[in-house]
Amino acid sequence: MREEEEIYYPALAQHPEFSDIMEDSVAEHEMVKQMLVQMNELVPSSPEFQDILAQMKTALEKHVTEEEEDIFPESIEVLGREQIEMLGEEIEELKVEGEMSKTTSM
């Protein structure tokens, strides 16, 4: 989610055809983050935890399907392959930075 929010979504937000999609996608990310916070307060074996987990799984599956079937193909058309590749490289760099900060903070 972090990589999408910091790199991919801002690139898409520059194009009006993605404005509604970006609002929905960001809202979906926020919902998942809230669910994770709720789950962090619960015992994994509790029914409430399991209910939230099932809701989150359903929401994530829907989100991923929308991205793979609609957003990603359309973004290639609008942004072009070259910009998509550049964004992919930026995302990979951000992931590496995140992994490095995890290992140095331990």
Side-chain angles (χ1 to χ4, degrees):
M1 287 189 295
R2 178 178 157 226
E3 291 84 3
E4 285 182 350
E5 292 173 0
E6 291 184 21
I7 296 171
Y8 185 60
Y9 288 175
L12 293 180
Q14 295 177 15
H15 299 274
E17 56 266 58
F18 289 107
S19 62
D20 289 342
I21 295 169
M22 290 301 91
E23 287 179 28
D24 292 343
S25 293
V26 170
E28 290 168 357
H29 281 199
E30 289 305 315
M31 181 181 66
V32 168
K33 289 175 189 176
Q34 290 173 0
M35 289 177 171
L36 289 169
V37 168
Q38 290 174 331
M39 291 169 67
N40 194 42
E41 303 292 320
L42 301 170
V43 176
S45 59
S46 72
E48 187 177 2
F49 182 96
Q50 294 300 316
D51 287 344
I52 296 170
L53 180 61
Q55 291 172 22
M56 187 169 62
K57 179 182 177 196
T58 300
L60 285 171
E61 287 172 347
K62 177 185 171 284
H63 181 81
V64 168
T65 299
E66 288 173 354
E67 285 184 335
E68 290 176 351
E69 293 179 1
D70 299 325
I71 298 172
F72 293 159
E74 188 176 345
S75 70
I76 293 170
E77 288 179 31
V78 172
L79 301 177
R81 290 199 179 276
E82 186 175 318
Q83 186 172 2
I84 291 292
E85 288 177 17
M86 287 176 20
L87 294 172
E89 290 172 10
E90 289 179 42
I91 288 170
E92 287 303 314
E93 289 174 15
L94 189 60
K95 285 181 180 180
V96 169
E97 289 173 14
E99 290 301 315
M100 292 174 80
S101 67
K102 285 180 188 176
T103 58
T104 58
S105 65
M106 290 184 173

